[in-house]
Amino acid sequence: QVQLVESGGGSVQPGGSLRLSCAASGVYGWYTMGWFRQTPGEEREGVAAVDGSGKTTLADSVKGRFTVGKDNDKTTLTLQMNTLRPEDTALYYCAAAPTSYMSAPYRLAPSSYEYWGQGTQVTVSS
């Protein structure tokens, strides 16, 4: 049984930083994993992803500010978020897909993922 548990969310002022973690159980290190976010009334959007081969993808809106990666165990996904902006405020979800390779156009598509966590809230406000 796959379980994804996000942590690290919170409230921060603009320009601040947060580090999100997703502890995954029941997955293998070769799974593709990603971060998504959603605000009320909006569709869930892809933020960052790492496929099983280590290839990463970042949404244009976060390039240069966010970094995605997996810990050495390959089953903990992290998202380092720097220079946060109010528009980054959202519920952030971790997701996993049982595929070792996922081509770039699909890595940030919610429909590509089978397993989801419950989310962790990130609020950026002064």
Side-chain angles (χ1 to χ4, degrees), residues 14-106:
S17 298
L18 285 172
R19 182 179 177 87
L20 304 184
S21 291
C22 172
S25 59
V27 302
Y28 293 95
W30 48 264
Y31 275 34
T32 295
M33 297 182 70
W35 288 102
F36 295 78
R37 64 187 182 188
Q38 190 171 22
T39 55
E42 300 292 327
E43 292 187 356
R44 193 168 296 187
E45 67 168 344
V47 176
V50 185
D51 77 1
S53 68
K55 294 183 176 60
T56 62
T57 300
L58 293 168
D60 288 343
S61 60
V62 305
K63 284 180 181 176
R65 301 188 298 123
F66 291 10
T67 304
V68 64
K70 288 184 178 180
D71 282 358
N72 288 338
D73 63 4
K74 304 296 184 185
T75 59
T76 300
L77 184 70
T78 61
L79 184 69
Q80 178 66 43
M81 305 187 295
N82 298 327
T83 319
L84 283 161
R85 304 168 179 169
E87 54 263 38
D88 295 318
T89 295
L91 188 60
Y92 282 71
Y93 296 92
C94 173
T99 179
S100 61
Y101 173 75
M102 187 179 290
S103 60
Y106 296 94

